[in-house]
Amino acid sequence: MAKLLYFGRLTDVFGANAETLALPAEVNDTSALRQWLDDDRQLGGTLMTKSIRIAVNDDIVPEPWPIADSDEIAFLPPVGGG
Amino acid sequence: MAKLLYFGRLTDVFGANAETLALPAEVNDTSALRQWLDDDRQLGGTLMTKSIRIAVNDDIVPEPWPIADSDEIAFLPPVGGG
Amino acid sequence: MITLTDQPFDPAEALCDFEKRAIGAGAIVSFTGLVRGTSKLGTVKTLHLQAYSPMTERGMAKAAADANARWPLDALLIIHRTGDLEPGEPVVYVATASTHRRAAFEAADFLMDYLKTEAVFWKKETTDSGAHWVEPRPEDYEDRDRWSKTGT
Amino acid sequence: MITLTDQPFDPAEALCDFEKRAIGAGAIVSFTGLVRGTSKLGTVKTLHLQAYSPMTERGMAKAAADANARWPLDALLIIHRTGDLEPGEPVVYVATASTHRRAAFEAADFLMDYLKTEAVFWKKETTDSGAHWVEPRPEDYEDRDRWSKTGT
């Protein structure tokens, strides 16, 4: 099972901070994951924008990046604190 | 009588913060005062340098500036706090 | 020293502690960021700050190391809130100490630009007209870009 | 608000009071200048600060007015010591508050450059090797010249 984390405005889009799910066999990199999840939740392309970065197991990755069903995968909209 | 004030390193040069004295009749502007006082105390030109500014009655003046025997005249080496 | 906390903190107390650590430094610059009472969208009720630990802490530690490499600092402090804050509450506190006044100013300025544009936080503002997520403004990215080193 | 005092003061307390005055500002920058423990001439025993009142206060008020004219500040504070200070004691404290982080940083920086090069003070440092009067360094004048407005 993969753990997906949703930050910032994606928390509202998904209605949750996180979920655990089994990835379909063909979803084996971050590009495929963006496409599959966006379609599955009918987000109309929200996850396809480059301004949302992806971290795999706590590291932001260049994409596409391979993913496995045991990974923690975080979707990160533009950051900023202070 | 004029009141003369000595600040910064001039406090040490004159051995005092201030003194009150009668100005000679011919000492009627700041240039004449610098020259007369430097000679009188044998300061070897210490008071002749431009980096020492003069304030008359609490205002820094462009020189030569007229002075009277009732003025408060301050000698100000380069300033700086903090 | 870097602290991420979901509890309110007192910048004056932080400055007092920091001064003790920075004895001998000569120059201390501090920045306090407070939750504003009004925004473009109305009167602010709360500001919610979300972090992603330990990525958030790691990023802040890297920025602190960058500041230490770039300026001769005697001490450095970052405190950043998470959770729900009310207007007037401190969100962030940065302090830098150096023998050199200019180094202390620049390092604090640099750290704030990092925190505003690169630190791993997300902010949700709730006003009387609703809630929205706040992302950095173009000026924030321009401020940050002042520090980019080209050709080194 | 400008204070010239021959009594020790506490920057943390000053920041605490300033925050209360600056509620709603968003960004507060503060600078603390402490007496250093060592100088080129050895271990510092005391720093003596001489002022010329009311010229000193008038100059500081003018600098504060210049900062207010130049940046959108919600509040501003300068505290400056006179008399005899020991290493580690605060000499100067400047705080600025603004809606804009950049304005708060620049105004504090500007005020410190004024205080270092134009404020009407003289400093005498006593070290284990003797006493001497300290005047601004060339870098201090260069820092100040960053703020000169040409052609306006």
Side-chain angles (χ1 to χ4, degrees):
Chain A
M1 303 285 274
K3 187 172 185 189
L4 304 187
L5 303 178
Y6 309 121
F7 289 97
R9 55 188 155 81
L10 296 179
T11 304
D12 293 349
V13 169
F14 285 92
N17 287 315
E19 65 182 304
T20 301
L21 48 72
L23 296 177
E26 72 275 17
V27 176
N28 50 20
D29 71 22
T30 53
S31 300
L33 174 64
R34 283 176 187 259
Q35 190 67 63
W36 171 75
L37 196 59
D38 200 279
D39 290 346
D40 188 63
R41 308 298 161 90
Q42 301 183 303
L43 301 182
T46 297
L47 293 186
M48 306 312 290
T49 169
K50 279 189 179 174
S51 73
I52 294 176
R53 290 180 295 174
I54 291 183
V56 176
N57 299 324
D58 202 38
D59 271 317
I60 291 173
V61 293
E63 296 190 57
W65 187 264
I67 55 174
D69 206 30
S70 56
D71 287 336
E72 178 179 289
I73 301 159
F75 289 85
L76 315 175
V79 296
Chain B
M1 302 284 274
K3 186 172 185 189
L4 303 188
L5 304 178
Y6 309 121
F7 289 97
R9 55 189 155 81
L10 296 179
T11 303
D12 292 350
V13 169
F14 284 90
N17 287 313
E19 65 182 305
T20 301
L21 48 73
L23 296 178
E26 71 276 16
V27 176
N28 51 20
D29 70 21
T30 52
S31 298
L33 175 63
R34 283 175 187 259
Q35 189 69 61
W36 171 74
L37 196 59
D38 199 280
D39 289 348
D40 188 63
R41 308 300 161 89
Q42 300 183 304
L43 301 182
T46 297
L47 293 187
M48 307 313 289
T49 169
K50 278 189 179 176
S51 72
I52 293 176
R53 290 179 295 175
I54 290 183
V56 177
N57 300 325
D58 203 38
D59 271 317
I60 291 173
V61 294
E63 297 189 56
W65 187 264
I67 55 175
D69 206 30
S70 56
D71 288 336
E72 178 179 287
I73 301 159
F75 289 84
L76 315 175
V79 296
Chain C
M1 211 176 72
I2 294 168
T3 304
L4 197 62
T5 174
D6 61 1
Q7 297 300 311
F9 68 92
D10 178 1
E13 202 177 292
L15 177 57
C16 190
D17 292 348
F18 188 73
E19 277 170 12
K20 283 171 199 149
R21 278 173 58 203
I23 275 182
I28 293 175
V29 169
S30 92
F31 180 91
T32 312
L34 305 165
V35 179
R36 292 184 199 164
T38 54
S39 80
K40 282 176 196 165
L41 300 179
T43 302
V44 175
K45 291 178 177 171
T46 58
L47 184 69
H48 176 75
L49 274 131
Q50 199 182 43
Y52 179 21
S53 293
M55 188 185 278
T56 304
E57 288 89 335
R58 217 170 53 216
M60 288 163 72
K62 171 71 165 58
D66 288 350
N68 273 310
R70 194 153 174 172
W71 290 279
L73 303 178
D74 293 305
L76 178 163
L77 170 69
I78 304 174
I79 304 175
H80 204 294
R81 275 293 307 273
T82 59
D84 291 309
L85 288 83
E86 291 182 11
E89 265 195 88
V91 187
V92 60
Y93 185 76
V94 163
T96 53
S98 177
T99 311
H100 307 283
R101 166 168 106 263
R102 189 115 308 289
F105 266 113
E106 289 183 2
D109 201 1
F110 166 85
L111 288 169
M112 278 311 305
D113 285 343
Y114 167 82
L115 290 168
K116 286 279 176 183
T117 58
E118 296 188 42
V120 182
F121 293 99
W122 297 271
K123 295 187 284 195
K124 188 181 196 172
E125 195 175 74
T126 303
T127 69
D128 48 9
S129 68
H132 71 289
W133 292 88
V134 187
E135 293 178 0
R137 306 160 304 161
E139 308 92 272
D140 292 322
Y141 291 117
E142 283 164 24
D143 281 347
R144 176 202 56 190
D145 291 345
R146 295 177 302 151
W147 308 104
S148 67
K149 288 182 175 177
T150 49
T152 57
Chain D
M1 211 174 73
I2 295 168
T3 304
L4 196 63
T5 175
D6 61 2
Q7 296 301 311
F9 68 92
D10 178 1
E13 203 177 292
L15 177 57
C16 190
D17 292 347
F18 189 73
E19 278 170 12
K20 282 171 201 151
R21 278 173 58 202
I23 275 182
I28 295 174
V29 169
S30 92
F31 180 91
T32 313
L34 305 164
V35 180
R36 291 184 202 165
T38 54
S39 80
K40 282 176 195 164
L41 300 179
T43 302
V44 175
K45 289 178 179 171
T46 59
L47 184 69
H48 176 73
L49 273 131
Q50 198 182 44
Y52 178 22
S53 293
M55 187 185 279
T56 304
E57 288 90 335
R58 218 171 52 217
M60 287 163 71
K62 171 71 166 58
D66 288 349
N68 273 311
R70 194 154 175 172
W71 290 279
L73 302 178
D74 293 305
L76 178 162
L77 169 69
I78 305 174
I79 305 174
H80 204 294
R81 275 293 307 273
T82 59
D84 290 309
L85 288 82
E86 290 182 11
E89 265 195 89
V91 187
V92 60
Y93 184 76
V94 164
T96 54
S98 178
T99 311
H100 307 282
R101 165 168 108 262
R102 190 114 308 287
F105 266 114
E106 289 184 3
D109 201 1
F110 166 85
L111 288 169
M112 280 310 305
D113 285 343
Y114 166 82
L115 290 167
K116 286 280 176 181
T117 57
E118 297 188 41
V120 182
F121 292 99
W122 296 270
K123 296 186 284 194
K124 187 181 197 172
E125 195 175 74
T126 303
T127 68
D128 48 8
S129 68
H132 70 290
W133 292 88
V134 187
E135 294 178 0
R137 306 160 303 160
E139 307 92 273
D140 291 323
Y141 292 116
E142 283 164 25
D143 281 346
R144 178 202 56 189
D145 291 345
R146 294 178 302 149
W147 308 104
S148 67
K149 287 184 174 176
T150 48
T152 57

